[in-house]
Amino acid sequence: MARCTAPSAPRFEHHDGSVLGIGAGAPRLSWTIDDAEPGFAQTAYEVEVTRAETTRVFPVEASDQVLVPWPAEPLVSREEAAVRVRVRDAVDWSPWSAASTVEVGLLSPEDWAASFISPRTLAGLEAAAPVVRGRFDLPAAAVGRLRLTAHGVYEARLNGHRVGDEVLAPGWTSYSHRLRYQTHDVTDLLREGSNELEVVLGNGWFRGRLGFLGERGLYGDRLALLAQLEVTDAHGELHVVGTDDSWTAAESGVLADDLYDGQRTDLRRPMWGSESAADVVDVVPVDLGVLVAPDGPPVRVTQVVPAVQVLRSPSGATILDFGQVLVGWVRLRVRGLAAGAEVLVRHAEVLEDGELGVRPLRTARATDTYLVAGGGEEILEPGLTFHGFRYAEVSGAGEVRGEDAEAVVIGSDLQRTGWFSCSDPMLARFHDNVVWGLRGNTVDVPTDCPQRDERLGWTGDLQVFSPTAAFLFNVGGFLTSWLADLSADQLPDGSVPYVIPDVLHDPAPTAAAWGDAAAVVPWVLHERTGDTGILARQLASMRAWVDRLDALAGESHLWAGGFQFGDWLDPSAPPDDPFAAKTAPDVVATAHLIRSADLVAQVASTLGEDAVAGHYRVVAAAARSAFGREYVTPGGRLLSDAPTAYAMALQWDLLPTPEQRVGAQRRLADLVRASGFHIDTGFVGTPLVTDALVGGGDVDVAYRLLLQTSCPSWLYPVTMGATTVWERWDSLLPDGSINPGEMTSFNHYALGAVADWLHRVVAGLAPTAPGYRRILVEPRPHAALTSARARHLTPYGETSVAWERDGDVLNVEVTVPVGAGATVRLPGLDEQTVGHGRHRWQVPDPCRVEEHRTPRTIRDVLDDPAIWTEVVNATAAVGVAADETAIAKRLTPFFDDPAAELVERLFAHGPRDGYGTLTKQLQPLLTP
Ligand code: BGC
């Protein structure tokens, strides 16, 4: 009797389901097992591979089920295989899984008969987007495949029908090293005899504007297409035709297109070009060795959002509100306009004084224009650009009704794998904002922002956000591709460009927390997806980065001086100087050197490279002791007496003695109190600070920080109506105006990195072995919440932790997938280990409100939310200090003093107006 259900149909590499045009001849396989009897443990599996007419079964004695090696001879270009699996425990075999199919793309440049072609005279930088066209006679197709890519972005039609549903293909990679091609099943679009393939080419990332320096054509000044149509006839014979000099080119109806500036379309012109204006094409030399198959999903339309209201601005403009900051474009229905009338659609993420707030876009015009054909109903929609927006101002379209407009959301079509919910609606909205931020910043490349003249693959942003991303979506393939670009663009000396793909071309890009993406992101992928292959692939790149830092540090073992972004956007830095963080850049730098060296050592030992691991342990140890000598006092104070410094030191084990650790923990919590529980960290410290607080036992302080709603805090933007995470803590100032800093985005994921902590610690669902094969369930319930839940589709299947406080008890429910196990730590219970299945516990609620206790010290006053709120309100009312932060600052030197002396201390340095009133009001709360 089978003791488990049939496994899922196998997955190949990081793809979901069957795959067409994979780039690996020996793709690794994974499966999940939905259900099994208690105690079931896979001890062996069989993979059945059917290729051509032969079927073979490969037995393997192993408990692995995630990214297991391809068991058969590697597949060759164009070869297809159907694969299914079954598994066995000590007792019996499961039923066979359903089969999934994998078909290999073109593995070698010799497989291409087509050549890159480019219009000869049309398609200059200022010209209309060209359409390239080819015609072929073909036999009836049993199977048809179209493989194509471009310099630029493309959309293809075969015999008048759109090919596939991809947007902005082939996406953005480090083009001179890696250019993706796509494979489509076009069997149903082909016909016997004459066929016509038309492809429109846009400027995209290849030739459009990129970066904040206004540059265009960074990869080249000619658009080009490579397309190969492969038809297998009824006899199994392969017929291959492709782009060559017999193709022609014409101008499309797209007069201009740019990712930043928008698209200008003339709907009076034939969209796919007119034959009469045909131009010849040149074959252009491009090394076909750079062609690679996609590792992850393409960019697609992922959602359509209706307009929620039509606003009339003070200046009389018509503004559509889509209710959500998102990424894509507007689809607009117009009717009855005169031929040639111009309709303009401008985009912005926020309104300021009721008008579009376009200043944050800097030089990106983000404007789509249409010259309409006129007469009847017309749909206006671009396809060779995208914008980040919530609002769109429409002019020239006459009366615009909400039902005539929708926002078309685009992005890499990543599978959603993670969810979080809780009883606090603001925190839940914050989490939704994190999800939207990720969706908007994964348009083929993980970007800083999707709206202004930037949208670049900033390494630092991803470095801090990658754990969150890996929980929320399947980013395995997406980031595998990005890491391959990182290795490709890394400098020979190991420096890592600030943005990947690199378009800034800094000659010596070494910035802590940014370049460290080289070491951190592969490790995160390994930890979250169970992929060890990625470590092997990235090890050389990781090592080169750490070697570079080690060389920079030299004999002192301190990486000091030189250019650094540091703890970027520390909230106390002035709007025009985001570099001016409290934590010294040197402290940030050496801390990162140590952390990355540790990671490389860990990776090398995972890969069995013990000598390499030993070397990087030595590098880390030398830098650690230098850090301890240079920056830490014997009592655990740090050179930069700022939360980011303590958070790094605590999280990355930079403090040699237990006394120093205790001292640092205490100091960190006091600094958070001193800020009145406001965030006081930038890009570097923000993902670490709550973990560091909880690690030191200061769970309450962490929650106070998390749930703060005044500025700066995670929830302040939520109070201001944010629907995404902002670049700055105060991108929108409390008075509703846009932050004056020139760098002010309303869709930046970096500061949302705390979501990973919500999943791991608030809900309590953390991986402790690669791919969540072992899960740590250790929720940290808090009086501020009555429930929280995290759910994640791990490579082994679905796991979840949900807790709810109910009366005097805490109910906890945990799901563990087959193949994984969990260590469970709950308040009042001994640690337990459980296997797959659903488990429930009921324990005493650890957050039961204790009887009211009079605070002993001033620190205790801050730690009691009810008393502290009264102190803040009363103190502000008499005008002693303006707000929570100012009051906390005044009291900071006196945290250890008796609570009864609080009022006295508030007046320590100034006039005593209001002393009597405050004493009367507060003293009863502060004395027993
Ligand atoms: C980007 C950031 C990036 C930074 C470098 C900015 O312009 O938007 O998110 O990491 O530059 O410090």
Side-chain angles (χ1 to χ4, degrees), residues 2 25 185 202 240 318 379 406 421 568 617 639 679 815 819 857:
D185 178 359
V240 179
T318 301
I379 302 291
E406 42 196 21
S421 56
W568 187 248
R617 272 197 286 274
L639 172 74
I679 197 83
T815 312
T857 62

Side-chain angles (χ1 to χ4, degrees), residues 210-471:
L210 269 187
F212 37 77
L213 302 174
E215 293 168 302
R216 287 177 82 181
L218 280 171
Y219 292 98
D221 57 6
R222 287 188 83 170
L223 299 177
L225 173 73
L226 177 76
Q228 180 159 304
L229 195 48
E230 302 175 359
V231 168
T232 309
D233 65 22
H235 312 291
E237 197 179 327
L238 182 68
H239 305 259
V240 179
V241 292
T243 34
D244 61 19
D245 58 11
S246 72
W247 283 53
T248 58
E251 287 191 336
S252 74
V254 176
L255 302 181
D257 63 276
D258 186 85
L259 299 180
Y260 293 177
D261 292 329
Q263 182 170 324
R264 182 170 175 81
T265 312
D266 188 342
L267 290 129
R268 296 166 305 177
R269 296 165 54 136
M271 197 42 57
W272 291 86
S274 84
E275 296 273 345
S276 55
D279 181 21
V280 292
V281 299
D282 293 322
V283 167
V284 289
V286 177
D287 173 12
L288 300 186
V290 303
L291 297 176
V292 292
D295 296 299
V299 178
R300 291 196 179 99
V301 171
T302 57
Q303 191 177 343
V304 174
V305 175
V308 296
Q309 55 177 336
V310 182
L311 306 166
R312 167 84 30 172
S313 81
S315 72
T318 301
I319 297 180
L320 298 164
D321 175 6
F322 294 97
Q324 172 66 51
V325 170
L326 47 79
V327 172
W329 55 72
V330 175
R331 183 187 291 152
L332 189 65
R333 193 183 315 124
V334 297
R335 51 181 83 70
L337 299 179
E342 187 175 46
V343 176
L344 243 89
V345 185
R346 297 167 64 223
H347 305 77
E349 293 178 329
V350 285
L351 299 180
E352 192 171 31
D353 301 325
E355 307 287 347
L356 278 197
V358 292
R359 185 173 52 79
L361 305 179
R362 297 197 302 222
T363 68
R365 285 201 295 276
T367 302
D368 293 330
T369 54
Y370 304 89
L371 302 167
V372 300
E377 189 171 289
E378 294 175 74
I379 302 291
L380 311 184
E381 180 177 10
L384 301 176
T385 187
F386 68 91
H387 313 289
F389 65 103
R390 167 176 169 170
Y391 301 96
E393 182 189 294
V394 179
S395 51
E399 171 90 21
V400 179
R401 299 177 313 183
E403 59 267 35
D404 290 330
E406 42 196 21
V408 175
V409 181
I410 68 158
S412 289
D413 196 6
L414 306 168
Q415 184 205 357
R416 180 88 189 257
T417 54
W419 295 266
F420 172 83
S421 56
C422 69
S423 55
D424 182 319
M426 279 219 258
L427 191 58
R429 177 69 234 194
F430 169 76
H431 192 269
D432 284 349
N433 294 358
V434 173
V435 173
W436 274 101
L438 182 148
R439 291 178 64 185
N441 283 299
T442 46
V443 181
D444 211 52
V445 159
T447 52
D448 57 335
C449 60
Q451 75 297 79
R452 66 174 178 232
D453 52 359
E454 197 148 356
R455 316 184 193 184
L456 304 177
W458 281 97
T459 48
D461 304 47
L462 179 68
Q463 189 268 114
V464 297
F465 191 68
S466 50
T468 302
F471 180 88

Side-chain angles (χ1 to χ4, degrees), residues 95-134:
W96 282 99
S97 73
S100 28
T101 57
V102 62
E103 187 184 293
V104 180
L106 302 185
L107 297 179
S108 136
E110 285 73 56
D111 296 325
W112 291 87
S115 309
F116 272 88
I117 55 168
S118 176
R120 182 170 300 166
T121 54
L122 298 176
L125 254 180
E126 305 304 326
V131 173
V132 217
R133 179 178 286 115

